[in-house]
Amino acid sequence: MTKVSFEQIKGFVFDLDGVITDTSLYHTKAWHQLADKLDVTWSKELEDGLKGISRMDSLEMILKAGHKENDYTYDEKVALATEKNTNYVNEISKMTPENILPGIKAFLDDLRANGYQIALASASKNGPTVLKNLELTDYFPKIVDPASLSKGKPDPEIYTKGAELLGLAPETCIGVEDAAAGIEAINAANEVSVGIGDATLLKDADVRFDNTAEMTLANIKKAMA
Ligand code: G6P
Ligand code: MG
């Protein structure tokens, strides 16, 4: 049983990368490429840890993993993050609605049909472009601006702002995430957390599904009972 009942839920606050679409693969590819260039050893742990983390914080995490956090000036770090973003933007420019993860479109339609409010809580400054390429912009009238945040995930700020944008109390919102840092943020915001992916990684999620196709209102209701 979750902290609130399914019937109390009025809104959904979504992460984007790895939930709506598989852009997490593109982020990973672009960071891995940069890590190789910087001679930082790539690992699954680093890959998982980067999910949900802002661009500059991701770069810091990579440099730290290679004990190189003091090797670059701020301007050099900005240039490295920009290089990663250029590669990432090139990948997302090729995206189409076919890149929407299984079941997501049907789930969003179901949410709309049942009167749930929907917001986006992605740390990505490329979020609106990705939504546009997926032709999903209309589903997300409320988007938290990541540039307005003072702290990134796992801080609850982005999810708290998501609920605020919807005019809803946090406990009446469900947050959906594929990253451990994101689940932590949702829980700290006092929303109900739905995790998509690995059980060990997402062990703190209130509700968890292996993949997006399993995320339906009926399954969420069952899991919250
Ligand atoms: C999301 C992704 C992260 C990414 C971050 C910033 O949270 O999960 O992997 O680093 O957004 O994305 P951006 O497109 O602004 O570099
Ligand atoms: Mg994500």
Side-chain angles (χ1 to χ4, degrees):
M1 215 170 70
T2 47
K3 40 206 172 201
V4 297
S5 70
F6 176 76
E7 286 67 32
Q8 289 169 275
I9 299 300
K10 295 191 176 107
F12 282 73
V13 186
F14 283 87
D15 173 44
L16 174 69
D17 301 306
V19 169
I20 306 286
T21 178
D22 235 347
T23 31
S24 48
L25 295 175
Y26 303 147
H27 279 297
T28 296
K29 191 177 157 194
W31 283 128
H32 193 163
Q33 202 174 320
L34 188 72
D36 284 351
K37 184 181 145 169
L38 301 175
D39 212 14
V40 172
T41 310
W42 192 253
S43 66
K44 181 78 173 77
E45 203 187 359
L46 182 57
E47 179 177 328
D48 287 339
L50 291 174
K51 287 185 183 157
I53 307 300
S54 76
R55 198 179 305 167
M56 284 308 274
D57 287 352
S58 296
L59 176 67
E60 289 292 350
M61 234 184 225
I62 290 168
L63 291 175
K64 210 163 182 193
H67 308 289
K68 293 177 193 292
E69 63 269 40
N70 299 318
D71 292 6
Y72 299 91
T73 63
Y74 176 74
D75 286 351
E76 284 168 342
K77 286 179 182 178
V78 169
L80 291 172
T82 303
E83 182 182 324
K84 178 267 170 182
N85 190 55
T86 304
N87 289 332
Y88 177 71
V89 166
N90 182 40
E91 294 284 351
I92 61 172
S93 69
K94 300 171 211 156
M95 292 179 82
T96 71
E98 292 201 352
N99 292 99
I100 299 171
L101 280 167
I104 290 292
K105 189 81 190 289
F107 185 58
L108 291 170
D109 281 329
D110 211 16
L111 293 184
R112 256 188 179 175
N114 285 282
Y116 290 97
Q117 297 205 59
I118 305 174
L120 191 76
S122 168
S124 176
K125 293 178 176 156
N126 293 298
T129 307
V130 171
L131 286 181
K132 185 168 161 272
N133 293 352
L134 298 175
E135 295 175 17
L136 290 179
T137 304
D138 287 355
Y139 288 89
F140 294 92
K142 308 278 183 192
I143 298 177
V144 180
D145 178 5
S148 74
L149 303 172
S150 57
K151 287 186 187 147
K153 299 171 188 177
D155 190 275
E157 187 179 12
I158 192 166
Y159 279 95
T160 305
K161 284 200 171 172
E164 257 170 39
L165 281 180
L166 298 179
L168 296 175
E171 58 273 20
T172 65
C173 293
I174 283 181
V176 190
E177 270 284 351
D178 68 317
I183 293 294
E184 213 183 301
I186 297 169
N187 291 343
N190 205 22
E191 296 170 16
V192 175
S193 54
V194 170
I196 308 287
D198 183 74
T200 313
L201 192 70
L202 306 175
K203 59 179 181 348
D204 293 330
D206 295 318
V207 173
R208 191 197 58 84
F209 300 111
D210 284 336
N211 53 60
T212 51
E214 289 173 19
M215 181 172 57
T216 61
L217 278 174
N219 284 345
I220 292 173
K221 186 175 180 179
K222 214 188 295 166
M224 286 179 72

